[in-house]
Amino acid sequence: MKTRTYAWAVLGSSLALPGPSSAQAPDTVTLTLDQALSLGIGSNPAYRRAVNSALLNDTEMRTVWFDQVLPQAQLNLFQTQFTGNLTRIATDNFGNPIENPTSDWNYFSQTNQSLDLTWRIQGASIFNALDRQSLTNLDRDVAEVRARMTLGVDVRRAFMDVLEQRELLRAEEELLAGRELDREAARRLFGLAMRTRVDVLNADLAVEQQALALRQQRAAFEKARLTLRTQLGDDALGPFRVADTPLPIFDPGTLDAEALVARALDVNPELRQSRVAVRTAGVGVSEAKRAWWPALFLNFNVSRRAQTPQGDALFDLSFDEDLDQRFYIGVQLPMFNDYFSNTQGIRQAKIELQNQREAERETALRVEESVRAALLELANQHESLRLAERSAEIAGEALRLAREEYRLGTRTFEDLRQSIDQEADTRRQVIKARHLFVDELLVLEAAVGAPVAPGQPAPGGAP
């Protein structure tokens, strides 16, 4: 998928219009997670830059073949010239300067075409050039995979954040409806002289505070939508809503830490780029050692030349002359040239190779640490979710009993308000705990460089 237009063409058949709703415009599209990932692949600027860089691979490889592997060709299609000279000084048979007995102008013209082929080989220069370019192409390909994985994680995180904020918004709306019912109950009991005006005022205050919380949550929801739109990078995307998507919640106890670490050490894009850097540094050592090898020069030239006195050969394109041909083979032994500079270059290349190996080892250690830490945090968040859900059940039952006691007159409104606040907090905690689990799952997948949840696609569709 190379352009945003193509991405929209693929999505055009799958973007569904929502059902009739007073809160939703008729042209609002319902965006699924897969569609969001497809839009991000087609439009996200960071990922598109990585894709564009990879487009240089074929062009640069062809350039290496024609510039460093195959003989370099120089073709002179047409060259014509007219020359005149006047020489006052000549030389005798012994090379001594004498006065030129002929002091007239001499004129001649020529027209020529030529083809020149040159080939220079020093050691394994051809293989070094091909290896270096192949590694450069591989690094760009891995960088594209890394950008695709990062995009997938970022889009999924932004998408899930919209779901979280929308779920919190619905919870706040339900809490506001509950506060209004409590206010009606307080007013009814006040009308029956079973409660004071203070209870009514406290109930009014609870409604206003909940309305403020709802407004703040609505703003948070809109900000999450803006973040998702930015991650997608599609400036032509119109009004949209995210489709209800089940959260990938599972027991992380089924995951094996050693298996995840082994997988990360095999497929993690950052580590793969480090390995490519090591191989590139190895090519640098070979290139530095090449300075000691003999250099072989090959040249072949074929030309056609028409040259006559005066201007007869000017613009002469007739091919009656025989072709001139020549070739030469040369060998140069540069091993004793710049001995100390060559030795220094080889030493620097070897040090660079050692440093890249240490960088690879450092990256591997960091990847392993990230995977193990993310798995521990995922297990901790799963337990936190279980405790939050249990707390929500207890708080919900306590609130139900507190409201009954308030209606019977055995509990004050302040006591009821405390139960209401506790139940609201636990409800929010459950929502946040579920999405925090998803966030930690995305952190783990980013550390591994591959999906880990059962039945989940690769982030960003990366293989």
Side-chain angles (χ1 to χ4, degrees):
M1 188 176 299
K2 300 298 183 185
T3 62
R4 186 176 66 241
T5 304
Y6 182 68
W8 272 109
V10 172
L11 294 174
S13 61
S14 58
L15 287 177
L17 292 176
S21 172
S22 59
Q24 183 176 318
D27 57 345
T28 299
V29 295
T30 301
L31 197 63
T32 66
L33 179 57
D34 289 339
Q35 292 165 354
L37 292 172
S38 297
L39 282 178
I41 290 173
S43 304
N44 181 269
Y47 177 67
R48 298 314 306 171
R49 287 197 299 269
V51 172
N52 294 338
S53 297
L55 296 178
L56 294 172
N57 289 352
D58 293 340
T59 301
E60 291 186 357
M61 181 58 78
R62 284 195 297 268
T63 301
V64 170
W65 271 95
F66 283 102
D67 287 355
Q68 302 186 48
V69 178
L70 300 177
Q72 296 187 24
Q74 182 175 359
L75 177 63
N76 176 22
L77 291 177
F78 178 77
Q79 180 181 359
T80 187
Q81 59 186 19
F82 180 81
T83 305
N85 61 67
L86 175 63
T87 304
R88 301 291 187 182
I89 301 298
T91 57
D92 58 17
N93 295 333
F94 301 99
N96 298 316
I98 60 174
E99 184 178 356
N100 190 354
T102 302
S103 58
D104 295 334
W105 282 89
N106 295 318
Y107 302 97
F108 65 93
S109 60
Q110 68 175 12
T111 299
N112 64 307
Q113 296 86 28
S114 64
L115 173 64
D116 192 85
L117 299 177
T118 304
W119 202 18
R120 182 181 185 275
I121 307 174
Q122 185 178 13
S125 59
I126 293 178
F127 302 103
N128 293 154
L130 291 175
D131 289 344
R132 178 171 288 278
Q133 187 59 48
S134 296
L135 291 173
T136 299
N137 295 350
L138 179 59
D139 184 71
R140 291 197 187 107
D141 292 338
V142 177
E144 180 183 348
V145 173
R146 184 178 181 180
R148 190 183 184 95
M149 185 198 72
T150 301
L151 171 64
V153 171
D154 291 341
V155 169
R156 290 173 64 190
R157 180 176 285 114
F159 190 92
M160 293 300 175
D161 188 50
V162 174
L163 291 178
E164 177 184 7
Q165 299 305 321
R166 188 176 67 183
E167 193 172 355
L168 287 171
L169 180 61
R170 291 172 179 172
E172 297 297 342
E173 291 172 347
E174 293 175 359
L175 290 172
L176 179 58
R179 299 294 188 275
E180 291 175 345
L181 292 176
D182 293 333
R183 180 173 62 180
E184 293 301 322
R187 288 176 177 177
R188 187 167 57 253
L189 292 175
F190 175 69
L192 297 174
M194 297 176 62
R195 286 290 183 269
T196 65
R197 179 64 177 169
V198 174
D199 284 358
V200 176
L201 293 176
N202 285 334
D204 289 338
L205 177 60
V207 170
E208 294 300 326
Q209 290 178 337
Q210 183 57 40
L212 176 60
L214 176 60
R215 181 172 182 177
Q216 293 173 341
Q217 183 55 45
R218 185 172 288 112
F221 171 65
E222 293 301 329
K223 288 175 61 178
R225 282 163 45 87
L226 289 175
T227 301
L228 176 59
R229 181 185 292 272
T230 301
Q231 287 294 338
L232 298 181
D234 189 352
D235 48 9
L237 179 62
F240 71 94
R241 65 183 295 272
V242 296
D244 292 334
T245 305
L247 301 182
I249 297 177
F250 61 97
D251 184 5
T254 58
L255 300 177
D256 181 32
E258 299 303 327
L260 288 178
V261 170
R263 191 177 185 187
L265 295 179
D266 182 48
V267 302
N268 183 276
E270 182 183 3
L271 187 55
R272 289 174 61 190
Q273 283 188 300
S274 296
R275 290 168 180 158
V276 172
V278 172
R279 294 170 60 185
T280 302
V283 173
V285 173
S286 299
E287 290 174 337
K289 290 181 177 179
R290 200 177 65 207
W292 304 111
W293 284 81
L296 175 64
F297 298 89
L298 303 174
N299 178 267
F300 175 76
N301 177 273
V302 57
S303 63
R304 171 264 178 190
R305 180 173 60 180
Q307 185 172 2
T308 61
Q310 301 301 322
D312 295 339
L314 195 65
F315 299 103
D316 183 0
L317 297 179
S318 62
F319 280 84
D320 352 2
E321 303 86 359
D322 294 331
L323 295 178
D324 297 333
Q325 302 181 50
R326 64 185 178 89
F327 77 93
Y328 76 85
I329 301 175
V331 178
Q332 182 183 12
L333 302 177
M335 61 183 63
F336 300 111
N337 299 337
D338 298 328
Y339 174 82
F340 293 103
S341 297
N342 293 337
T343 303
Q344 177 184 349
I346 294 174
R347 184 59 179 169
Q348 289 176 340
K350 290 182 177 179
I351 293 298
E352 176 65 19
L353 176 58
Q354 294 175 3
N355 289 339
Q356 290 297 336
R357 285 172 176 168
E358 292 299 325
E360 178 194 2
R361 190 168 67 89
E362 180 184 20
T363 302
L365 292 173
R366 186 172 63 252
V367 167
E368 180 177 356
E369 177 191 3
S370 300
V371 171
R372 294 185 185 276
L375 183 57
L376 290 174
E377 189 60 34
L378 184 66
N380 178 66
Q381 193 56 49
H382 184 265
E383 180 64 17
S384 299
L385 173 58
R386 188 187 66 82
L387 295 176
E389 290 175 342
R390 178 57 181 159
S391 298
E393 293 176 0
I394 296 174
E397 180 65 17
L399 178 59
R400 186 184 66 81
L401 296 175
R403 279 173 171 159
E404 291 181 0
E405 293 177 359
Y406 178 72
R407 292 186 180 93
L408 295 175
T410 59
R411 178 181 290 267
T412 65
F413 189 83
E414 286 300 322
D415 295 335
L416 175 62
R417 184 172 181 178
Q418 183 178 3
S419 298
I420 291 173
D421 292 340
Q422 290 177 348
E423 192 274 340
D425 290 340
T426 56
R427 186 182 301 190
R428 298 186 186 102
Q429 288 172 3
V430 169
I431 297 174
K432 293 179 179 179
R434 295 175 70 242
H435 286 273
L436 280 175
F437 179 88
V438 177
D439 288 340
E440 295 302 331
L441 175 61
L442 293 176
V443 171
L444 177 59
E445 290 187 347
V448 173
V452 300
Q456 292 297 311

